[in-house]
Amino acid sequence: MGDATHWRAHREGGGRFALWLIRTLALRGGRRFGRLLLYPVTLYFFLRRGAERRASRQYLTRVFGHAPGPWAMLRQFHAYAATTLDRIFLLAHGERGFDIAIEGLAELERRIGEGRGVLLVGSHQGSFEALRALSARRPDVPLRVVLDKGKTPAMTELLEALAPEVGAAVIDAAQGGAGVVLAAAEACRQGAMVALLADRAGEHEAQREVDFLGTPAPLPVGPWLLANALQVPVLLCFGLYLGGNRYRLVFEPFAERVAIPREGRGSALDALLARYAARLEHYVRVAPYNWFNFHDFWRRPDRPAAD
């Protein structure tokens, strides 16, 4: 699940206050009133957050092939603010009031029907919270989301306040790799969907570089090691924000199962990451203002590589 605040960790307090303020005012005044708040909030963060402006400019330059103007960067900031606001209403009221189109549902249903569980791999793009729409339509299929609660306290508090049953279903990534694998494997044995994001590495998490938007970028290998351990069908999932109340939830089959051999492990990981990065780049170009990694994404990592 995406962070509730994508700003830098040492600024978490400001992000948490902004999220609390938007949540309180929006739930009392309604979504239409809440969306009016997005304009001053977007402008405030755009003016105050130099690092995020630079990251937005760097990213949009790679997407468009030329430096973006302030309006383009503001659109990306506003899309992030809008999906953050919508996360509140999706948690509080489900898909009521939203127009969520789902593509690839037949593929997902087929794999759910096998009863082995499904691993859904997404990204910090649009709203991963749109998955709640699918979960509401299939209450018989549990949805477990891998999330580091300690690194996303604002999101954790939001889950506990608005949807305690959703918060209780989170698999806490802070428990370590073995704990995550055991929890995810148990969920799959129950036929559940296990969801995680694969385009941002945690601190000290193993990474490998792969081409993304024309330049090598570090991606975490943990999601693919988890897929290798679970041996269940893997689908990519993208919740694209289309503006207003419209979302497009896309499911794509990725692998019937992921197998990473001991011999040639590095090349196998590189192939998986390259396939994922290619699909991520496709949807980034489809909806360029939807991608919310507001940091120097292409910086060469000083974290361990997975060999």
Side-chain angles (χ1 to χ4, degrees):
M1 181 178 295
D3 299 355
T5 57
H6 292 288
W7 316 113
R8 289 170 177 258
H10 67 276
R11 293 169 177 169
E12 173 70 22
R16 292 174 71 182
F17 173 75
L19 184 61
W20 172 84
L21 180 63
I22 293 174
R23 182 187 71 189
T24 302
L25 295 176
L27 289 179
R28 290 185 178 180
R31 184 171 177 272
R32 181 173 298 179
F33 171 70
R35 284 185 63 84
L36 292 177
L37 297 177
L38 296 184
Y39 297 102
V41 168
T42 297
L43 183 60
Y44 170 82
F45 279 104
F46 181 78
L47 295 176
R48 289 291 302 272
R49 300 300 178 91
E52 285 75 21
R53 285 198 309 273
R54 290 190 292 274
S56 176
R57 183 181 298 110
Q58 178 195 55
Y59 157 68
L60 291 175
T61 297
R62 295 184 187 279
V63 173
F64 297 138
H66 59 82
W71 176 245
M73 291 185 289
L74 275 166
R75 284 189 64 181
Q76 187 188 14
F77 274 62
H78 184 270
Y80 169 68
T83 56
T84 300
L85 174 70
D86 286 348
R87 182 177 291 124
I88 295 170
F89 288 94
L90 285 164
L91 286 170
H93 307 303
E95 63 178 306
R96 188 179 71 198
F98 290 94
D99 179 6
I100 302 178
I102 302 180
E103 297 180 11
L105 185 58
E107 291 284 352
L108 178 60
E109 292 277 7
R110 181 172 71 81
R111 286 159 178 82
I112 288 174
E114 296 173 359
R116 295 185 292 149
V118 176
L119 182 63
L120 300 176
V121 180
S123 67
H124 291 84
Q125 185 177 18
S127 178
F128 207 53
E129 211 64 53
L131 270 176
R132 301 297 169 200
L134 179 65
S135 184
R137 298 180 191 187
R138 287 296 306 269
D140 57 310
V141 183
L143 174 63
R144 304 291 305 277
V145 178
V146 180
L147 169 69
D148 190 332
K149 293 183 177 181
K151 291 183 179 178
T152 57
M155 188 62 203
T156 300
E157 293 174 10
L158 187 65
L159 284 170
E160 292 174 350
L162 297 179
E165 73 285 354
V166 174
V170 167
I171 297 175
D172 190 358
Q175 63 186 300
V180 170
V181 170
L182 288 174
E186 178 59 29
C188 288
R189 279 193 289 271
Q190 298 172 7
M193 298 179 290
V194 176
L196 50 72
L197 306 182
D199 62 335
R200 184 188 301 171
E203 188 176 4
H204 307 305
E205 185 176 354
Q207 306 170 34
R208 295 184 73 88
E209 287 193 341
V210 63
D211 184 82
F212 179 63
L213 292 175
T215 304
L219 290 178
V221 303
W224 309 107
L225 297 179
L226 176 61
N228 177 70
L230 296 178
Q231 293 292 288
V232 299
V234 179
L235 279 78
L236 301 184
C237 177
F238 300 95
L240 304 180
Y241 172 60
L242 305 180
N245 68 338
R246 296 179 301 119
Y247 284 85
R248 176 184 166 204
L249 187 58
V250 182
F251 295 99
E252 284 190 2
F254 186 82
E256 287 299 323
R257 65 184 185 91
V258 168
I260 302 176
R262 290 185 179 275
E263 295 295 330
R265 177 175 177 172
S267 59
L269 283 169
D270 287 340
L272 289 167
L273 290 171
R275 287 180 57 203
Y276 169 74
R279 298 313 297 158
L280 177 61
E281 181 170 328
H282 168 77
Y283 285 104
V284 159
R285 295 190 182 280
V286 168
Y289 301 110
N290 267 225
W291 199 54
F292 304 135
N293 276 311
F294 289 102
H295 63 276
D296 186 1
F297 189 78
W298 285 266
R299 179 181 58 83
R300 295 188 64 85
D302 55 0
R303 301 178 178 85
D307 295 324

